[in-house]
Amino acid sequence: TKVNWYPPKIPNRFNQCTIKVRMVQWPPFVINVPNGSWSGPPRSSRGIEISLLDLVAEFANVRMFYHHDQVPDNWGNVYGNGTITGNLKYLYQEIDDIAIGAYAISMKRCLVFDAVSYHKHEKLIFYVPFQTLNSKLTSLGEIMGFGALVLTLFLYLVVTTMSWLVSRHDYTHYQKFDTCAFETYQILLGLSVSLQPRSTKVRFFIAMLIIYSFYVVTAYQTLLTSTLANASTKQEISTIEDILD
Ligand SMILES: *[C@@H]1O[C@H](CO)[C@@H](O)[C@H](O)[C@H]1NC(C)=O
Ligand SMILES: *[C@@H]1O[C@H](CO)[C@@H](O)[C@H](O)[C@H]1NC(C)=O
């Protein structure tokens, strides 16, 4: 904005020189611009290309005259045999200075016209990563379920207490609460214990715990494996705001 790059070619003063712009009404590039209107302060509601030309006009001190043909959508084209049609023909004959309305650059057009690519709007593609996260692995309680955790704790305490209470004829190991609790804890984890109980009453409660822990450990390991194997992904970019952010 501070540097005048080509002073002989582009002087600072154009004195509101008129530039004739032939447009094709084609949103979002040109939106409802009245035939025969002039450039004004840039407003986004008139389309991308009109906004840019309004800006250029303001900058270079020229004024754009926007008009369109009676034939709607009269873009025109350049053919291999040299034929030029539509609005491009007016441009070629220098009746107009600029043609706008979502023109694409092609090789044949480039041989005849200068194309200014301001924005590769329709070819600009965002490739964005998917964020991988194991959202299910946030806590143990979420894998097992809070109820199962409480039930396990409750059963463990009940079995430990009951085994301890009825262990009068068993090993002293089971007669003391702390070693009994240690033993039942090992059983709960599915580990082997050094001293199996010998009295029927204690065996009953220990058997209960063995059966329960077998199911819980199996279920827990299954859930854990499936949770680890199932990486849940979330699309990181899904709105225009996300892209701009
Ligand atoms: C737009 O205005 C021009 C004159 O500036 C006229 O030749 C042309 O026919 C008009 N187009 C339409 C669609 O009315
Ligand atoms: C040039 O080619 C176009 C399309 O292939 C055709 O419509 C047109 O008649 C041709 N013009 C001449 C002069 O051969």
Side-chain angles (χ1 to χ4, degrees), residues 2 11 30-31 42 86 95 107 109 116 119 136 152-154 156 161 163 179 183 187 192 196 213-214 219-220 231:
K2 299 260 161 47
V30 180
I31 305 169
I95 294 169
M107 206 180 79
R109 289 175 184 179
V116 179
H119 191 205
K136 287 182 203 159
T152 304
L153 208 66
F154 175 74
Y156 168 69
T161 311
S163 306
T179 47
E183 210 74 354
I187 289 166
S192 61
Q196 302 288 353
S213 83
F214 170 74
Y220 175 73

Side-chain angles (χ1 to χ4, degrees), residues 220-231:
Y220 175 73
Q221 286 185 351
T222 309
L223 282 170
L224 186 66
T225 307
S226 80
T227 303
L228 286 174
N230 177 23

Side-chain angles (χ1 to χ4, degrees), residues 69-130:
D69 206 59
Q70 269 159 339
V71 183
D73 302 345
N74 194 25
W75 286 285
N77 209 346
V78 178
Y79 295 97
N81 56 19
T83 305
I84 301 169
T85 58
N87 288 355
L88 288 180
K89 191 178 174 187
Y90 296 121
L91 196 64
Y92 183 71
Q93 292 168 347
E94 298 192 0
I95 294 169
D96 298 314
D97 302 304
I98 299 175
I100 58 167
Y103 275 98
I105 300 172
S106 74
M107 206 180 79
K108 280 167 195 151
R109 289 175 184 179
C110 278
L111 297 174
V112 190
F113 305 109
D114 278 337
V116 179
S117 175
Y118 63 93
H119 191 205
K120 290 191 168 54
H121 191 267
E122 285 165 308
K123 289 182 185 135
L124 193 66
I125 296 167
F126 288 93
Y127 286 107
V128 296
F130 271 67

Side-chain angles (χ1 to χ4, degrees), residues 3-4 9 37 48 51 73 82 118 125 150 171 185 221 228:
V3 180
N4 191 4
K9 216 172 178 183
S37 58
I48 299 165
S51 293
D73 302 345
Y118 63 93
I125 296 167
V150 170
Y171 292 114
Y185 185 62
Q221 286 185 351
L228 286 174

Side-chain angles (χ1 to χ4, degrees), residues 35-36 65 67-70:
N35 188 26
F65 179 71
H67 65 119
H68 55 81
D69 206 59
Q70 269 159 339

